[in-house]
Amino acid sequence: MLEPDDVRFRLMAITDDLRDHIDGLVARACAAERGGATMLLVRLKHADARTLAEVGRALVTTLQVPVLISERLDVALACGAAGVHLNAASVPVMAVRPHVPEGFLIGGSISSLADVERALDADFVTIGPVYGAGAAALGADGFRELANACGRPGIAIGGIDTSTVAEIAAAGASGIAVIRAVLGSADENNITSTFASCPICMFYSIDTHRETCDLVGGIQPTSERDNNRAS
């Protein structure tokens, strides 16, 4: 298990679709990274394994933040992703752990107390939906209850926007996960920067400040990385 304040958990951007093809998604992901996203989760519900692997490889080779694949452990390992995220209906995390290399991140998903046991060996969990799902919404109090029950770094998901970040931070969230609010935006860089300026996500943008690069594993700022590739 990783520490709750691990900087990688602060702002997880989740892919939405391939409306602009792989190159377009990569461009949007790069904009989110420049804006301050600290992790990217590839979740493309209608993509086949081959397409998902192609997307994963493109993102892994382009981004400096960790790239995780939703559900497909085989694809995550094949494309060199930093980890996999399993939903509540997937195999238990403990069944996956023996088959992955050291340092490979495994995320779980929790929406009720019944899901906690399946995620006990996870490095982190997403907890939600916190807001915007009617009677199914957990709210800040429900998030706090599940985060305490699982004892893992908890990333809040579901209806998160800049007006609710402070409340969910006070409930003990290690970070937030956003889909449409970032990669579905017309301006991924600026909207991600807006989230990154919220209290739970206070860190320096990785393309301009060395301090955050050191925290997330010695990665280089974008400008420095590009110069090295050109040399």
Side-chain angles (χ1 to χ4, degrees), residues 6-8 64 66 210-220:
D6 190 308
V7 70
R8 291 173 292 182
Q64 291 293 290
R210 185 75 203 188
E211 290 86 343
T212 297
C213 297
D214 292 336
L215 283 172
V216 296
I219 60 178
Q220 295 174 313

Side-chain angles (χ1 to χ4, degrees), residues 108-121:
S109 181
I110 294 177
S111 59
S112 70
L113 289 172
D115 300 328
V116 170
E117 185 175 356
R118 300 175 67 86
L120 286 180
D121 200 35

Side-chain angles (χ1 to χ4, degrees), residues 61-231:
T61 57
T62 304
L63 301 181
Q64 291 293 290
V65 297
V67 175
L68 277 66
I69 305 295
S70 177
E71 295 303 304
R72 295 297 299 262
L73 176 62
D74 55 342
V75 173
L77 293 172
C79 71
V84 67
H85 182 263
L86 305 172
N87 69 31
S90 299
V91 296
V93 173
M94 65 181 65
V96 173
R97 180 69 66 187
H99 305 288
V100 301
E102 183 176 357
F104 188 86
L105 297 174
I106 304 178
S109 181
I110 294 177
S111 59
S112 70
L113 289 172
D115 300 328
V116 170
E117 185 175 356
R118 300 175 67 86
L120 286 180
D121 200 35
D123 294 302
F124 70 92
V125 294
T126 55
I127 300 175
V130 181
Y131 303 107
L138 298 170
D141 290 339
F143 175 92
R144 181 184 292 107
E145 179 185 13
L146 294 181
N148 290 339
C150 71
R152 294 291 185 269
I155 299 176
I157 187 171
I160 308 295
D161 59 33
T162 54
S163 69
T164 56
V165 169
E167 181 181 46
I168 203 63
S174 295
I176 57 174
V178 288
I179 308 174
R180 289 182 296 274
V182 170
L183 288 175
S185 166
D187 191 347
E188 296 85 358
N189 190 338
N190 286 338
I191 194 66
T192 312
S193 297
T194 301
F195 276 104
S197 67
C198 296
I200 198 172
C201 302
M202 289 298 288
F203 52 87
Y204 295 107
S205 176
I206 66 170
D207 77 329
T208 53
H209 294 277
R210 185 75 203 188
E211 290 86 343
T212 297
C213 297
D214 292 336
L215 283 172
V216 296
I219 60 178
Q220 295 174 313
T222 302
S223 57
E224 182 177 336
R225 184 178 78 232
D226 291 342
N227 289 338
N228 287 346
R229 285 179 176 171
S231 59

